[in-house]
Amino acid sequence: MSNLAIWVRVTVKPEGLEKFLHAIEVDALGSERDEPGCMRFNVLRDADDELTYYFYEVYEDEAALAAHREAPHYAVWSAAADTLDGEVQITRTSTVFPSDQGYWSKD
């Protein structure tokens, strides 16, 4: 069984960088800490563009992703949408390796 994984790419307005970084940290940490269905939430900055960020998120299934979008920390992230420059780009994937589901378990 594979998990739902998503890559998110955003570009941040220079004047919104501090607000953005606070909001995405709240969301990422809250997701991994408080959501049983969230296996991973990593935030990465582009090596060539300090205003471009990528999120790598892994969820148990669609229901876990839906629960993520209802969480209080997601609301913090949503409230910072004005810091973004352009559209959020989302690529939906599924995990392949490691194939051992124990790797993805939070237990």
Side-chain angles (χ1 to χ4, degrees):
M1 177 181 162
S2 63
N3 297 299
L4 170 63
I6 60 174
W7 280 102
V8 179
R9 180 185 184 275
V10 299
T11 302
V12 182
K13 297 173 186 172
E15 66 275 12
L17 188 56
E18 186 176 329
K19 180 179 177 182
F20 163 80
L21 289 172
H22 170 75
I24 197 58
E25 182 178 30
V26 168
D27 191 27
L29 294 176
S31 297
E32 286 195 347
R33 180 189 61 229
D34 300 335
E35 296 178 34
C38 178
M39 282 48 180
R40 178 138 9 282
F41 195 125
N42 301 128
V43 178
L44 308 130
R45 184 178 63 216
D46 191 285
D48 296 322
D49 181 358
E50 65 183 32
L51 296 175
T52 298
Y53 288 80
Y54 305 91
F55 317 148
Y56 175 60
E57 306 172 43
V58 179
Y59 298 93
E60 192 172 87
D61 52 26
E62 289 287 344
L65 177 58
H68 167 69
R69 292 181 175 151
E70 297 297 321
H73 45 265
Y74 185 84
V76 172
W77 159 246
S78 293
D82 63 337
T83 66
L84 302 181
D85 188 10
E87 295 294 316
V88 175
Q89 298 173 12
I90 300 173
T91 302
R92 296 172 71 88
T93 65
S94 58
T95 58
V96 177
F97 294 110
S99 58
D100 177 10
Q101 280 302 110
Y103 174 85
W104 299 104
S105 174
K106 292 182 110 178
D107 298 333

